[in-house]
Structure formats: C-alpha cells, structure tokens
C-alpha cells in the first residue's frame, strides 16, 4: 500500500503596508503589551506560530539579543496541546537562533518580570504548580504544563 501524499499549502503573509498598519494600531492600545510583543516578534523574526506558542522566557538571551527556538506547541486529537522539543533534521522545523530587534528586549524583560511576580503570587496562593510559558502569558490563560 502506498503512503498517502500530504499537500502543504503556503501561509499568507502580511504586506509591508498591512504590517505597518497593524503595528500602528497596536501602539494605540496601552492595555495589551503582551500582544504588542508577540506580534512584533512574529513580524520581526518570522517565527512560526508553533514556535511562538512554545517560546518561554528562558529561551531569550537578553545580553546578546537572541531567541533560541528549542520547542514548539502542537495539537493532536488524542493528546490535545503539547509543547515538545524541536528535533534537528525535522522536515520543516529545526532548532535555530534569531537575533531580536533591540526595541523588543526591554519590553520582553518587563513582561518577564511581570510574569514572574504573577507566577509567584499564584504559586503562593496554591493555584498553580507549574511554570507559565511566554505563550500562556500572551493568551492570558493559566494553562498549566507539568515539567
């Protein structure tokens, strides 16, 4: 029996004008710094959605301004959402490093500080036993992931 061939379609990307409009609209919103960061990361780094969703603050090297892509978020009907390590040599994904825009480093640090305070409060109130990833912070959900 022959293995079925899977056809992959290309994703549509924003034009320079559309990206510019999106960034201008984000700057007008002061209550969503997490969305400003995640969208700017997506636009400036070319990160895949699964990489953005698997990103944790520990993967960011603030001193050198580098993001280390080490894991991704995937979904299956059987297991639901799972964060897994990106294996080198995979068909479409591989671990890689990308330089961050200097304008994003301070906002990411500030968001990380906020998340650490929030996580500390939640843990000390007995609400959560695992860490909050970058994506979970952006989502605003307290999805927990056991380590």
């Amino acid at each position: 029996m022959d293995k079925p061939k899977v056809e992959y379609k290309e994703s549509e990307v924003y034009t320079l004008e559309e990206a510019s409009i999106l960034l201008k609209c984000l700057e007008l919103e002061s209550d969503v710094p997490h969305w400003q960061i995640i969208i700017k990361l997506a636009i400036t780094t070319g990160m895949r959605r699964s990489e953005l969703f698997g990103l944790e603050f520990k993967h960011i090297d603030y001193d050198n301004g580098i993001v280390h892509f080490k894991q991704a978020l995937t979904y299956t009907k059987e297991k639901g959402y799972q964060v897994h390590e990106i294996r080198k040599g995979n068909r479409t994904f591989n671990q890689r490093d990308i330089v961050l825009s200097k304008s994003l480093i301070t906002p990411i640090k500030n968001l990380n500080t906020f998340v650490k305070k929030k996580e500390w409060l939640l843990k000390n109130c007995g609400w959560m036993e695992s860490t909050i990833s970058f994506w979970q912070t952006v989502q605003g959900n307290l999805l927990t992931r056991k380590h």
Side-chain angles (χ1 to χ4, degrees), residues 23-138:
L23 292 173
K24 285 179 185 174
C25 290
L26 276 174
E27 293 302 324
L28 298 175
E29 299 292 332
S30 61
D31 295 337
V32 290
H34 50 286
W35 281 114
Q36 291 173 354
I37 293 169
I38 201 75
I39 291 172
K40 287 177 183 178
L41 273 173
I43 290 172
T44 60
T45 65
M47 293 171 70
R48 297 172 179 97
R49 280 181 288 193
S50 60
E51 292 171 331
L52 281 167
F53 303 160
L55 183 63
E56 293 184 34
F57 290 103
K58 67 183 179 185
H59 299 140
I60 300 172
D61 177 349
Y62 298 106
D63 296 330
N64 296 309
I66 295 174
V67 177
H68 303 285
F69 297 105
K70 296 185 177 288
Q71 59 191 30
L73 179 76
T74 57
Y75 176 82
T76 62
K77 288 181 182 177
E78 299 81 30
K79 297 182 180 180
Y81 288 102
Q82 288 189 315
V83 176
H84 62 87
E85 183 180 351
I86 297 172
R87 292 178 215 100
K88 290 188 177 185
N90 191 325
R91 189 189 77 71
T92 57
F93 295 102
N94 56 14
Q95 291 186 3
R96 59 197 172 107
D97 296 337
I98 292 184
V99 176
L100 277 175
S101 166
K102 289 181 182 184
S103 66
L104 281 173
I105 293 173
T106 299
I108 292 172
K109 279 183 180 179
N110 292 342
L111 182 60
N112 188 9
T113 300
F114 171 77
V115 168
K116 285 180 180 177
K117 288 178 183 176
K118 183 177 179 181
E119 184 177 22
W120 182 88
L121 286 171
L122 291 172
K123 280 184 178 181
N124 286 301
C125 292
W127 291 2
M128 192 173 76
E129 297 178 5
S130 65
T131 61
I132 300 175
S133 72
F134 191 89
W135 168 245
Q136 291 159 339
T137 302
V138 170

